[in-house]
Amino acid sequence: MLQFIRTYAGSWVVKILFVLLIVSFAAWGIGDMIRTGGISSTVASVGKVDIDRAELDQEFRRQMERLRPMVGGNLTTEQARQFGLLDQSLSALVQRALYDQAARDAGISVGPDVVRQRIAEEPAFRNAQNQFDASQFRSVLRNNQLTEDGYVALLRRETARELVAGAVGAGVTPPKPLVQDLYRFRGERRVAEVVTLPNAAIGDVGVPDEAELTRYYEDHQVRFTAPEYRSLSIAQLSADEIAKDIQIPDNELRAAYDERADELGTPERRTVEMVLADDEAKAKQIAEAAKTKGLTAAAKDAGTDVITLDNVTRNELPEIGEAAFALAQGAVSDAVRSGLGWHVLTVTAIQPGATKSFEEARDQLLAELRKEKAMDSLYSIANRVEDQLASGAPLEEVAQAQSLPIAKIAAVDSSGKAPDGQDAAPGRPNFAAMVQTAFQLASGATSNLTEAPNNVFYAVRVDGVTPAAPKPLADVRDQAVAGWQDDKRAKLAAEKAQDIAAKLKQGSEAAAQDVASQSSASFAMTTPFTRDARSVEGLPGELVRKLFEVKPGETVTGATADSQVVARLKEIIPADPAASDATLATVESTVAQGLESDIMAQFGSALRNSYPVEVHRNRIDQFFASGN
């Protein structure tokens, strides 16, 4: 079974399935926060399995959290639906349900040895030495609101799905002729002679007359249009601001010191070596042998490995910490049980801890207590602010009642810039998110209270809107003249590039160099390049594509932002799949992935025939309607 899993764990389909398990941590534990009012909460049925509204809500929120950083951290539910995340979430749940039923009906059962091996091999549970770390394992689960039993159950289901997917996609062999043809296509290389003519080489083009300048200004008004600006009022609530005004009496500080004495200073750290056994009898046998020959030798005799936990504290070993920290250095423990099995421990190094005095810990305690009390107040104040804003109270009134500072921003565009091109609010955290919120509001409207990172809440009001409008020609005359001149040079340079191309159609490499020199242009010979090269030594990607459509001796032309480029194809270097240095593995892998994808799509269709899928779209629309 383990070898079977290892064989198919490399499959890209299987990896995608396993990623679904890991990323689902982020949304674990989110319940059904919206009452259904008597309507059935089933949003889809897959065979005999019903998908509940709460499951879809959980997956939808997870997908939103995944996408939110890509859109600046501000993503509403309605926007997520428009991006198609709700449908993606439903499809993911349907696919999992299909695979679960296929695994169940195939009689696939994942035993404890397989689960233990998968946990030990998971990179998220490994320490800096790339060894399985039991404390890190528990920490990851704890941070994601997962119990060991819950994670094991989840892992069993995902492993069963992987086995189904791996069995279906097993043995895919790409046809050799297809691989060879694709290798020839991808591996073919070409060499070109390149002449680059800077637009600036055209020299002085004069200045336009008034009529021509006016026509240029009108044809290119987008270049001379000032963006929309908005004036804003921002009320902000943060734990740090609240903490500054909190006073902590001395007796409370001393009480906190007495309670936290063990946490202050530097805790004792130990390096612990550990052997993990399946049963108590084996653990006792290893422990007994280790007391005479050492844990490493005893583990080797028992056919297992020693796991090293470097510089850990007692709290980092929640189930075996007491046993590990009760040992003298060099001593070997008896068999110790945890949720992972039976352990035998030895301590190889001890770094003693140190406790701070009250005076040494005073500033630390003061900051911690202030932060704790600020956090206690933060959400209650935020709730009051939210209620007042919802009742229609003006932002100034709400801010005054809750002692919130209000910042005024005279003018800011959607990118956060002031009219002078500088940042409108330099040094203000989360300002980009505030601007995004403001540009979704009508003039005079106030946003809801919005939570930002680092325990910050804000509400923003749009005090005024200055629409985008073209700047008068008188204000941008210099820029318009410069733009006209740049366009004129580019046009003349393009015409000259066509003359160069005509000359390059005949003659040798030396002749090409002469043409470039006579035209105030530069000449270069490219190194061999493939068709997927985005740019080659100044050769734009567009010309790379064109050069794979012509014959040797033919020319192509193109442009960059400030120059014209003429290229003549010099040589074609074929790719030979039979050559000794031919590397077909990448191509074979690509073809295999494509075939596997097709097979998995057909398998998915077959599963839908065996386990009919029914989607209750009207319920989904009602549950996830805008504003719900």
Side-chain angles (χ1 to χ4, degrees):
M1 176 67 78
L2 285 177
Q3 183 57 43
F4 186 75
I5 290 177
R6 291 192 188 99
T7 299
Y8 296 121
S11 164
W12 69 280
V13 174
V14 170
K15 288 179 179 178
I16 291 174
L17 288 172
F18 193 69
V19 165
L20 292 175
L21 168 65
I22 299 299
V23 297
S24 66
F25 286 167
W28 185 266
I30 298 176
D32 188 353
M33 304 301 291
I34 303 176
R35 287 174 291 182
T36 61
I39 301 173
S40 171
S41 62
T42 299
V43 295
S45 299
V46 183
K48 297 180 180 180
V49 174
D50 291 336
I51 297 175
D52 191 77
R53 178 247 175 269
E55 294 178 75
L56 181 56
D57 181 56
Q58 172 182 317
E59 180 68 16
F60 183 42
R61 289 172 183 268
R62 183 191 68 75
Q63 295 279 9
M64 286 181 63
E65 288 302 316
R66 178 184 60 82
L67 185 62
R68 185 167 278 123
M70 305 179 193
V71 293
N74 192 18
L75 179 67
T76 66
T77 301
E78 183 57 31
Q79 289 171 332
R81 288 195 65 181
Q82 292 173 1
F83 287 144
L85 294 193
L86 186 61
D87 291 337
Q88 289 180 25
S89 302
L90 181 62
S91 295
L93 293 175
V94 168
Q95 182 177 359
R96 294 177 201 172
L98 287 169
Y99 276 77
D100 284 343
Q101 293 181 86
R104 180 199 63 204
D105 291 349
I108 294 175
S109 177
V110 180
D113 290 341
V114 173
V115 172
R116 186 180 295 112
Q117 186 74 15
R118 291 301 296 272
I119 291 174
E121 292 176 350
E122 170 54 42
F125 305 144
R126 290 177 173 267
N127 57 25
Q129 289 72 41
N130 199 33
Q131 297 171 327
F132 173 76
D133 189 328
S135 62
Q136 187 165 330
F137 167 68
R138 296 187 183 91
S139 176
V140 171
L141 297 192
R142 185 168 56 251
N143 291 340
N144 291 282
Q145 294 81 50
L146 275 172
T147 64
E148 289 187 27
D149 289 344
Y151 175 70
V152 167
L154 203 61
L155 185 56
R156 287 181 188 275
R157 291 197 299 272
E158 284 298 332
T159 304
R161 293 170 191 158
E162 292 176 15
L163 291 172
V164 172
V168 172
V172 175
T173 302
K176 190 173 181 179
L178 177 60
V179 172
Q180 292 177 339
D181 286 346
L182 189 56
Y183 178 81
R184 292 187 184 96
F185 180 80
R186 287 186 173 183
E188 178 186 309
R189 295 180 298 161
R190 299 197 168 195
V191 178
E193 299 163 310
V194 180
V195 175
T196 303
L197 175 66
N199 295 340
I202 298 301
D204 185 17
V205 293
V207 295
D209 59 29
E210 196 64 26
E212 195 169 6
L213 181 62
T214 300
R215 185 165 54 253
Y216 178 84
Y217 165 78
E218 291 174 349
D219 291 344
H220 300 83
Q221 276 198 355
V222 67
R223 297 186 186 181
F224 311 112
T225 296
E228 176 184 312
Y229 288 99
R230 296 189 169 206
S231 57
L232 312 177
S233 293
I234 300 172
Q236 184 168 301
L237 170 67
S238 72
D240 290 340
E241 287 295 325
I242 296 172
K244 291 178 183 177
D245 299 326
I246 294 177
Q247 301 298 318
I248 309 293
D250 223 46
N251 62 334
E252 192 171 337
L253 281 174
R254 290 190 175 275
Y257 174 78
D258 293 337
E259 291 175 2
R260 307 179 187 189
D262 291 342
E263 303 172 14
L264 298 170
T266 305
E268 179 183 330
R269 291 184 173 273
R270 296 188 168 203
T271 297
V272 180
E273 291 186 349
M274 174 181 70
V275 170
L276 182 61
D278 295 334
D279 55 65
E280 183 179 11
K282 185 176 181 180
K284 287 182 175 180
Q285 179 183 356
I286 293 172
E288 191 64 31
K291 290 174 182 178
T292 57
K293 61 173 63 175
L295 187 60
T296 300
K300 184 177 181 180
D301 291 346
T304 188
D305 297 321
V306 174
I307 300 170
T308 301
L309 308 175
D310 284 321
N311 293 323
V312 293
T313 65
R314 185 191 305 265
N315 291 338
E316 291 173 334
L317 304 174
E319 294 186 66
I320 60 175
E322 291 299 325
F325 278 73
L327 289 173
Q329 185 169 338
V332 177
S333 73
D334 294 328
V336 180
R337 188 174 187 179
S338 78
L340 286 178
W342 290 88
H343 306 255
V344 180
L345 314 169
T346 186
V347 177
T348 60
I350 298 176
Q351 182 180 328
T355 302
K356 291 182 179 179
S357 67
F358 174 73
E359 290 303 326
E360 291 172 329
R362 182 186 184 89
D363 290 344
Q364 178 185 343
L365 286 170
L366 184 60
E368 289 177 356
L369 291 182
R370 280 178 172 171
K371 188 65 173 288
E372 290 171 7
K373 289 181 178 292
M375 291 301 297
D376 290 340
S377 302
L378 180 66
Y379 288 96
S380 61
I381 296 174
N383 287 334
R384 293 197 296 270
V385 170
E386 201 165 33
D387 291 343
Q388 288 180 282
L389 289 175
S391 70
L395 187 62
E396 286 82 2
E397 180 182 315
V398 175
Q400 184 176 6
Q402 304 302 332
S403 300
L404 305 183
I406 286 189
K408 295 287 187 178
I409 307 297
V412 61
D413 66 15
S414 60
S415 68
K417 301 293 185 182
D420 62 1
Q422 303 299 311
D423 289 338
R428 175 178 286 274
N430 308 307
F431 185 62
M434 297 175 186
V435 170
Q436 283 193 349
T437 300
F439 272 78
Q440 295 174 5
L441 300 172
S443 181
T446 302
S447 73
N448 295 326
L449 190 67
T450 303
E451 186 173 1
N454 301 318
N455 303 311
V456 172
F457 291 84
Y458 68 86
V460 58
R461 183 183 64 207
V462 178
D463 296 327
V465 176
T466 302
K471 300 175 183 178
L473 176 57
D475 293 347
V476 295
R477 175 176 291 274
D478 291 344
Q479 296 97 304
V481 170
W484 179 90
Q485 291 173 331
D486 288 342
D487 285 4
K488 185 73 171 180
R489 290 191 187 95
K491 181 179 179 181
L492 294 175
E495 293 174 357
K496 192 171 182 179
Q498 292 301 322
D499 293 339
I500 294 173
K503 294 177 181 178
L504 286 182
K505 287 181 181 179
Q506 302 175 356
S508 63
E509 178 182 333
Q513 292 178 351
D514 291 341
V515 169
S517 178
Q518 295 166 7
S519 305
S520 300
S522 62
F523 172 84
M525 182 80 73
T526 70
T527 57
F529 55 88
T530 58
R531 67 180 68 243
D532 60 353
R534 295 188 178 182
S535 64
V536 181
E537 302 165 14
L539 195 64
E542 176 192 4
L543 290 193
V544 170
R545 177 184 60 78
K546 288 182 178 180
L547 284 167
F548 274 87
E549 298 172 353
V550 298
K551 299 175 182 178
E554 295 182 345
T555 62
V556 296
T557 60
T560 66
D562 56 4
S563 63
Q564 307 298 315
V565 182
V566 182
R568 180 171 66 181
L569 182 61
K570 179 177 178 59
E571 182 183 5
I572 297 176
I573 305 173
D576 182 5
S580 59
D581 59 348
T583 54
L584 302 180
T586 302
V587 178
E588 288 178 346
S589 175
T590 301
V591 176
Q593 288 180 11
L595 293 174
E596 190 173 350
S597 177
D598 291 342
I599 291 172
M600 296 309 298
Q602 294 176 27
F603 179 61
S605 298
L607 287 179
R608 286 173 176 263
N609 291 331
S610 300
Y611 313 104
V613 177
E614 182 181 6
V615 176
H616 304 289
R617 181 58 62 180
N618 58 331
R619 296 177 189 170
I620 295 174
D621 292 340
Q622 182 171 356
F623 290 145
F624 294 90
S626 178
N628 279 6

